[in-house]
Amino acid sequence: MENKDNIGANPDPKPSELDINPKEDMRDEAQSVWKSIKQFLNDLLDIREDTDRSTTVEAIRKDIPFKGHNAWILIFSIFVASIGLNVSSTAVVIGAMLISPLMGPIVGVGLSIAINDALMMKRSFVNLAVMIVLSVLTATLYFSLSPVKEETPELMARTWPTILDVFIAIFGGLALIVAKTKSGTIASVIFGVAIATALMPPLCTVGYGLSQSIIGNSEGLYWALGAMYLFSINAVFIALATFTVSKLLKFPLVKYANQKRRKRTTRMATLIAVLVLVPSVWTFLRLLNQQIFITKAKAFVTNTIKYEGAEIVKETDDAEKKRIDVYLIGSLVPQNIIDRWEDEFKKTEDCENCTLVVHQGADQSGELAARLSTEVRSGILEDLYVKNQEAMSSKDEQIRLLENEVTQLRSTTLPFASMRNEAKINYDGLKRFGYATEITTDFSGAIDTLTVVRVMWADSLSQEVRSRQEQKMGLWIKERFTLDTVVVSGNVEVRK
C-alpha cells in the first residue's frame, strides 16, 4: 500500500540545479594541470632546499688564499699549460687546467660583493692580483727560455675574445657556483667548468706575448693585451655569475656591529658591482655586434661572391672597421659585378655602413702581392703541396699495385722449354707434357691460384708406375720453381 505520508518529503530538484557549466569544469581542470606542471618544474629546478649556504661560504673562503701548496700547484700547472700551448696540444692544456687552482679568488670576489663581506673582498682581490702576476711571470719565463718561438693555433686562439668566450664564461660561472652551493660539492662539474672557462691559457698567452715583445716582435704586446682582455672577461663573468646566484639564493649578509662600517661596506660593494656590471654589459653587446657582423659577412661571401673562372683564396673580416676584404684569383670579375656585390652587401641587415673590398688581378701583380698577406701565400702553397702529396701518394700506390701484379705474373710464368726438356730426360714413357695456371674457389670467399701440370704416359706403363712418377714430378716442379701448390694430372690429352 502506498505510503501517502512520505509523498512530497523529498521534492524533485529544480531544473536550475540540474544545469552543469562545462566552462567551469574545463577551467578547474586546466588549473589543476597547471598546478601539477608548476609543482613538477619546481621539484625539477628548485635548488634552494638543497643549498648549504654556510658550508658554501666557508669552502669559498678556504679556496681564496694563494700560498704554500696552492702557489706551487699554480706554478707547475702554468708550466704544463705553457708547454701544451707551445706545442699546440689540446690534451696537455686541458690536463693543466684540471690541476690549476685559479677559480678561488674569482669566485671569492663575486660572493664577497653579494654578502657585503669587506674582508673577503679585500683578500680575494689581493690573491687574484698575486695569482695573475705569478702566472704571467711563470709563463713569460718559460716562453723566454723555450727554443720553440712560433705562434701556434692554440696560442693565437687566446689572443682576442669573441662572443662565444663570453657565453662560456657566463654559463661556466653559473655551473660552478651552483655546484659549490649544493650539499656535497660536485667535483666533476667543477673540473668541467675549469676546462670550459679556460682561465689559464689566456694568462699563459700573456706571458708568450710579453716574451715576444722582449725579443723585438712588435705584435707581442698586442697579443698580450688581447689575452689579458680575454682573461678579464672570463674572470668578470664568473664573478658576476657568482654574485647573481648568491643573491637569488639569498645568502645572508655579513652583519657588522658598527652601523657606519656596514653602510660603507654596502656602498663599496654596490659601487664595485656597478663598475663590474656596466663594462660587462658593454663588452657583451660589443662582442655580440662583432660576431653578428662576422657571421653576416661570411654568409654574404659564401652565398654571393661567385663568378665563373674566379676563386676566393682569402677573406678577412675587420669587425672594428666594419670591412671585409676578399681576394680573388683566376678570371677577372667585371667592375659592374663588383659594384653590384658592394650594393647588395650594404643592403644586408646590420651591414648598412659596412665596406666590401674585392682584390683581384686587376690590382696589378705587384700591388696585389703586397696586399696578400704571408698567410695567404703560404696557404696557397700549402694547398698545392697537399694536393701534390696526395697525387704522389696515389701514384705510389698504383705503382706498388702494378709491381705486385707483375711479381705474381712472374711467379706463375714458368720456363716451359726448360721444364719440357728436363721432364723428357727424367721420366721414361712420357708422351705429352703441359701446364697451366688455374684459379679456383670453394665459394667461401677464398680464391686460390694453382699450377696444374697435365701429362700423358705410354700405355706400357702400369698404373703404379704412373702414380709414383706423377708424385715425384709434382715434388720436382714445386722445389725446382719454388711453388706453393702443384697438381699433376696424368693420361690427359694435352691439346695443341
Side-chain angles (χ1 to χ4, degrees):
M1 188 173 177
E2 187 178 0
N3 189 353
K4 296 181 178 181
D5 295 334
N6 291 330
I7 295 176
N10 295 310
D12 294 334
K14 297 179 181 179
S16 59
E17 295 177 351
L18 293 175
D19 291 340
I20 299 175
N21 192 338
K23 292 185 178 180
E24 291 184 1
D25 286 347
M26 290 178 64
R27 184 164 56 250
D28 293 341
E29 185 176 350
Q31 290 177 350
S32 177
V33 171
W34 174 240
K35 288 181 180 179
S36 300
I37 294 174
K38 285 178 63 177
Q39 184 62 39
F40 171 77
L41 292 176
N42 185 66
D43 294 340
L44 178 66
L45 301 176
D46 187 19
I47 61 173
R48 289 171 295 182
E49 293 184 3
D50 201 22
T51 297
D52 191 343
R53 293 167 179 80
S54 59
T55 303
T56 300
V57 173
E58 289 304 314
I60 292 175
R61 286 184 195 276
K62 292 179 181 178
D63 290 339
I64 292 174
F66 262 91
K67 59 183 180 180
H69 292 81
N70 277 353
W72 283 108
I73 292 172
L74 176 64
I75 292 172
F76 296 143
S77 61
I78 287 289
F79 272 118
V80 174
S82 299
I83 294 171
L85 293 170
N86 205 190
V87 299
S88 198
S89 173
T90 305
V92 176
V93 175
I94 291 175
M97 285 189 279
L98 288 175
I99 61 176
S100 170
L102 284 174
M103 291 287 191
I106 299 173
V107 176
V109 169
L111 180 64
S112 62
I113 296 173
I115 63 176
N116 289 351
D117 191 333
L119 181 59
M120 180 191 288
M121 189 188 308
K122 180 180 177 181
R123 291 176 62 232
S124 297
F125 276 117
V126 169
N127 282 279
L128 180 59
V130 171
M131 175 195 76
I132 293 173
V133 172
L134 188 60
S135 300
V136 171
L137 287 178
T138 303
T140 305
L141 175 64
Y142 168 79
F143 285 110
S144 298
L145 299 177
S146 173
V148 182
K149 305 294 184 183
E150 292 80 8
E151 56 268 21
T152 63
E154 287 287 340
L155 281 167
M156 292 300 101
R158 272 87 180 187
T159 55
W160 195 253
T162 66
I163 190 63
L164 297 179
D165 295 305
V166 174
F167 284 130
I168 290 172
I170 291 173
F171 294 113
L174 290 172
L176 175 63
I177 187 59
V178 169
K180 278 186 171 291
T181 58
K182 185 181 184 302
S183 301
T185 302
I186 309 173
S188 60
V189 173
I190 296 174
F191 287 156
V193 173
I195 296 171
T197 50
L199 292 168
M200 277 186 93
L203 289 178
C204 295
T205 306
V206 172
Y208 173 76
L210 292 177
S211 69
Q212 288 293 301
S213 63
I214 291 172
I215 62 176
N217 189 338
S218 58
E219 292 185 331
L221 189 59
Y222 172 79
W223 293 337
L225 292 175
M228 181 56 73
Y229 184 31
L230 173 58
F231 171 80
S232 301
I233 286 176
N234 282 336
V236 164
F237 279 98
I238 291 172
L240 189 59
T242 303
F243 171 83
T244 304
V245 173
S246 301
K247 284 295 186 183
L248 290 176
L249 293 178
K250 298 180 179 179
F251 273 60
L253 300 177
V254 173
K255 296 179 181 179
Y256 294 94
N258 189 327
Q259 186 73 7
K260 183 181 291 186
R261 184 184 177 190
R262 184 187 68 79
K263 289 182 179 180
R264 186 171 65 250
T265 303
T266 301
R267 284 196 296 268
M268 182 173 63
T270 303
L271 177 62
I272 293 175
V274 171
L275 291 176
V276 169
L277 182 60
V278 172
S280 299
V281 173
W282 177 81
T283 300
F284 178 85
L285 295 176
R286 178 169 169 270
L287 292 176
L288 181 60
N289 289 330
Q290 290 181 0
Q291 189 63 48
I292 290 173
F293 168 76
I294 292 173
T295 302
K296 294 286 181 65
K298 289 185 180 297
F300 178 82
V301 170
T302 302
N303 300 325
T304 307
I305 308 297
K306 295 178 182 178
Y307 188 78
E308 186 175 357
E311 183 178 352
I312 299 173
V313 294
K314 175 72 174 178
E315 174 209 342
T316 59
D317 307 297
D318 191 336
E320 294 287 342
K321 297 180 180 179
K322 298 291 185 180
R323 165 175 169 152
I324 57 173
D325 290 79
V326 179
Y327 297 88
L328 301 176
I329 60 173
S331 302
L332 293 180
V333 182
Q335 187 60 42
N336 64 320
I337 294 180
I338 295 177
D339 293 339
R340 190 186 71 202
W341 288 345
E342 293 175 353
D343 292 338
E344 290 181 10
F345 185 56
K346 289 182 179 296
K347 292 177 182 177
T348 304
E349 186 181 359
D350 299 319
C351 298
E352 292 81 4
N353 299 319
C354 303
T355 305
L356 169 65
V357 180
V358 177
H359 306 281
Q360 56 176 337
D363 296 332
Q364 302 300 322
S365 59
E367 296 178 11
L368 181 61
R371 291 181 185 178
L372 285 172
S373 64
T374 303
E375 181 183 351
V376 177
R377 295 194 294 272
S378 64
I380 296 172
L381 293 175
E382 183 179 351
D383 290 341
L384 292 174
Y385 174 77
V386 170
K387 290 179 180 178
N388 288 334
Q389 285 293 104
E390 292 175 352
M392 291 176 63
S393 300
S394 177
K395 290 180 179 179
D396 290 341
E397 187 64 30
Q398 292 178 3
I399 291 172
R400 280 194 295 270
L401 180 62
L402 292 173
E403 287 178 344
N404 291 335
E405 291 182 357
V406 170
T407 302
Q408 291 179 1
L409 288 173
R410 286 178 177 174
S411 65
T412 56
T413 303
L414 304 179
F416 181 74
S418 176
M419 290 176 63
R420 178 196 62 188
N421 295 335
E422 291 183 27
K424 183 64 176 175
I425 295 171
N426 293 327
Y427 299 96
D428 296 332
L430 182 62
K431 294 177 64 178
R432 288 189 180 277
F433 177 84
Y435 88 93
T437 300
E438 186 176 279
I439 299 176
T440 63
T441 180
D442 58 1
F443 301 104
S444 64
I447 297 177
D448 197 9
T449 302
L450 303 176
T451 299
V452 180
V453 178
R454 304 187 186 280
V455 295
M456 185 175 180
W457 304 100
D459 295 337
S460 59
L461 294 181
S462 64
Q463 184 63 40
E464 182 180 353
V465 174
R466 294 178 185 179
S467 299
R468 188 167 58 250
Q469 294 210 118
E470 289 170 5
Q471 184 178 8
K472 181 180 178 183
M473 182 180 291
L475 294 173
W476 162 63
I477 295 175
K478 184 177 179 182
E479 184 67 26
R480 173 73 171 77
F481 300 102
T482 317
L483 300 175
D484 293 332
T485 306
V486 177
V487 177
V488 180
S489 179
N491 268 30
V492 175
E493 280 286 349
V494 181
R495 296 182 179 179
K496 295 182 181 180

